[in-house]
Amino acid sequence: MTGKPKVIFVCYQNAGRSRMAEAYLAALAGDRYESSSAGLEPADHTHPEAIQVMAEDGLVVDDRPGKRLTPELAADAVRVVAINCTVGDLGVPVESWDMPDGPGDKLERARAQRDGIRSHVAALVGRLERDRPPAP
């Protein structure tokens, strides 16, 4: 653990939505939080559309195998965000985001997801900051 509060974003494959959310938390909250992502059934690669639409917004999402969500991974998180999936009881605060695919081709859907995720992450940062205890 880095000593910073950890937030884990989870989607089914850890190949798109969770990776975008991880990147946005790092971008929007700076070094105030440790941003991570995981999946229930991790994919071997990041969706190319996620990589492309994040690059359009100036953020890098790399192509790497997904990481599996485990109770050990979640144990020290201040929040787990389940995006279009159910994670069960992890012993830490969990919130769920419903982010439907919407119409259009893969790239159009990825852009809509990106924009929705950016908005959700910005709101999450505000909530986390309000709930964060003051520094000693």
Side-chain angles (χ1 to χ4, degrees), residues 87-134:
V87 298
D89 183 13
L90 296 168
V92 299
V94 175
E95 67 179 75
S96 296
W97 295 354
D98 182 27
M99 309 280 312
D101 280 336
D105 66 20
K106 283 185 177 185
L107 207 50
E108 289 173 11
R109 288 192 306 266
R111 285 184 182 114
Q113 290 168 2
R114 175 200 62 200
D115 296 346
I117 287 168
R118 182 190 322 114
S119 177
H120 275 72
V121 171
L124 173 65
V125 169
R127 290 192 307 277
L128 290 170
E129 289 296 302
R130 277 193 310 274
D131 297 344
R132 190 172 182 169

Side-chain angles (χ1 to χ4, degrees), residues 33-125:
Y33 296 91
E34 177 184 347
S35 184
S36 185
S37 66
L40 303 179
E41 294 293 332
D44 293 333
H45 298 280
T46 305
H47 295 311
E49 299 83 17
I51 294 169
Q52 181 175 341
V53 300
M54 292 302 283
E56 292 171 0
D57 210 16
L59 298 175
V60 174
V61 172
D62 57 348
D63 184 12
R64 59 180 156 81
K67 181 174 23 176
R68 184 174 301 280
L69 176 66
T70 64
E72 295 79 21
L73 179 66
D76 59 347
V78 296
R79 184 80 42 97
V80 171
V81 177
I83 306 171
N84 287 15
C85 65
T86 303
V87 298
D89 183 13
L90 296 168
V92 299
V94 175
E95 67 179 75
S96 296
W97 295 354
D98 182 27
M99 309 280 312
D101 280 336
D105 66 20
K106 283 185 177 185
L107 207 50
E108 289 173 11
R109 288 192 306 266
R111 285 184 182 114
Q113 290 168 2
R114 175 200 62 200
D115 296 346
I117 287 168
R118 182 190 322 114
S119 177
H120 275 72
V121 171
L124 173 65
V125 169

